[in-house]
Amino acid sequence: MQQIFNFIIKNSNRLLFLLLLGISLSLTIQTHSFHRSKVISSANFLSGGVYERINRVNEYLNLRTENDELVLENARLKSLLFNKEDTAKAPLPDSIKGVKPTDIIVSKVIHNSYSTHENYITINSGEKEGVKQDMGVINSLGIVGVIDDTSPNYATVVSILNMKSHINAKIKKSNHFGSLTWDGKSTGFVQLEDLPRLASIRKGDTIVTGSQSSIFPEGINIGTVDRIYIKNKTSFYVIDVKLFNDMTNLGHVYILKGKNKEELINLENKEKNE
């Protein structure tokens, strides 16, 4: 305490000067609006800078907590997204010969194999939607395959890229038809076999489903003629058909109910038995 008194006595003149200076500055600021505004502005600048730096420090210290909250929020949003029903429906095709809009089921491919000799596709529609075995499956570009098996909510499709697949097809510009198969080589090509050598065929001609198919209506697009050759010196042509579809990239598909299919099959079986 004695040291404090000694310091005040020793520096009394300086302290008195500082005290009087402070009083005069205070009176000047209070009585002059210009000086007061400048002081307030400077104080705000200084305090704002200090507060900003303090806030940055606090934000840095709280980064871990905020990151944890963001992770939880992302998890919640992803959960909502993954569990949300897919409401994006593909539009129905404008028209399919012999098929009413009510006889078309819109579905979506959820699994697609194309790297083996016997490829299958899984779709997210099943018995509840009216999907049955041997129904035809197409999309906006052409044929995809034939329903093989069903469950209440799903179905498997024999892809046209399956060596067991046989579909009636023809040259669009004529009535010459054959059997559409796959040789197991390229995902972009299928083969049309058993075409008579009398048929007029050129590269680029369009191949469509034939009228003798009990699964597909006539005239569904398949692809175009890429190569014509004779297999094993027979009297029939074999055609490499370049598919309109990219069978490695399938999204929405249309399932064709084909109400008259059973009637046609029964009639054909009756004729065979007779």
Side-chain angles (χ1 to χ4, degrees):
M1 182 64 72
Q2 185 64 39
Q3 291 180 353
I4 295 174
F5 287 133
N6 291 335
F7 175 80
I8 293 173
I9 294 171
K10 185 178 180 180
N11 297 283
S12 57
N13 292 331
R14 293 178 181 177
L15 293 174
L16 179 60
F17 171 76
L18 292 174
L19 177 62
L20 294 174
L21 178 61
I23 294 171
S24 61
L25 288 174
S26 176
L27 292 173
T28 301
I29 292 169
Q30 290 180 2
T31 55
H32 295 80
S33 58
F34 174 78
H35 295 87
R36 183 169 61 251
S37 64
K38 290 296 183 181
V39 170
I40 292 174
S41 176
S42 299
N44 288 338
F45 174 78
L46 292 174
S47 61
V50 172
Y51 290 150
E52 184 179 4
R53 284 168 175 76
I54 293 174
N55 184 59
R56 288 178 182 175
V57 173
N58 289 332
E59 286 180 346
Y60 177 79
L61 295 175
N62 291 328
L63 277 178
R64 183 168 183 176
T65 300
E66 291 182 3
N67 286 337
D68 290 341
E69 291 176 354
L70 286 173
V71 169
L72 292 174
E73 179 67 10
N74 285 337
R76 185 184 70 82
L77 293 174
K78 286 182 178 180
S79 176
L80 291 174
L81 178 64
F82 294 155
N83 288 288
K84 184 178 180 181
E85 183 180 355
D86 184 8
T87 57
K89 299 296 184 182
L92 290 175
D94 294 335
S95 63
I96 298 176
K97 183 179 179 181
V99 181
K100 299 177 182 178
T102 54
D103 293 337
I104 299 174
I105 302 169
V106 180
S107 188
K108 188 176 182 180
V109 172
I110 58 175
H111 181 262
N112 178 22
S113 69
Y114 45 81
S115 58
T116 68
H117 285 169
E118 296 180 7
N119 294 297
Y120 291 85
I121 299 165
T122 305
I123 58 177
N124 65 351
S125 299
E127 296 165 1
K128 290 181 179 180
E129 288 80 17
V131 180
K132 295 180 180 179
Q133 190 177 29
D134 292 333
M135 286 183 174
V137 182
I138 67 171
N139 65 6
S140 59
L141 296 177
I143 65 172
V144 172
V146 179
I147 297 293
D148 178 61
D149 200 4
T150 62
S151 68
N153 299 300
Y154 303 97
T156 54
V157 180
V158 178
S159 170
I160 56 174
L161 301 183
N162 188 312
M163 296 183 71
K164 292 183 177 180
S165 173
H166 293 273
I167 297 170
N168 181 261
K170 71 170 188 174
I171 305 169
K172 187 176 182 179
K173 68 180 183 180
S174 72
N175 287 319
H176 293 106
F177 62 86
S179 180
L180 193 74
T181 62
W182 185 52
D183 61 8
K185 295 179 181 179
S186 172
T187 59
F189 295 86
V190 292
Q191 286 66 46
L192 183 59
E193 300 181 339
D194 301 329
L195 271 171
R197 293 177 65 176
L198 294 174
S200 175
I201 312 168
R202 292 183 179 180
K203 184 175 181 178
D205 285 349
T206 300
I207 304 299
V208 298
T209 52
S211 60
Q212 298 188 18
S213 174
S214 61
I215 296 175
F216 295 97
E218 183 181 6
I220 301 296
N221 282 333
I222 297 173
T224 58
V225 175
D226 184 73
R227 186 168 74 98
I228 308 165
Y229 55 97
I230 300 172
K231 188 176 182 180
N232 299 327
K233 296 183 179 180
T234 64
S235 59
F236 297 98
Y237 281 133
V238 177
I239 297 175
D240 282 342
V241 181
K242 185 177 182 180
L243 293 170
F244 289 130
N245 255 326
D246 178 359
M247 292 298 294
T248 67
N249 183 25
L250 298 174
H252 285 92
V253 293
Y254 309 114
I255 306 164
L256 310 179
K257 291 183 179 181
K259 289 184 177 181
N260 298 326
K261 182 187 67 177
E262 293 182 3
E263 179 183 349
L264 178 61
I265 293 174
N266 291 333
L267 180 61
E268 290 176 347
N269 291 335
K270 183 180 179 180
E271 291 178 352
K272 290 179 181 178
N273 292 332
E274 292 177 352

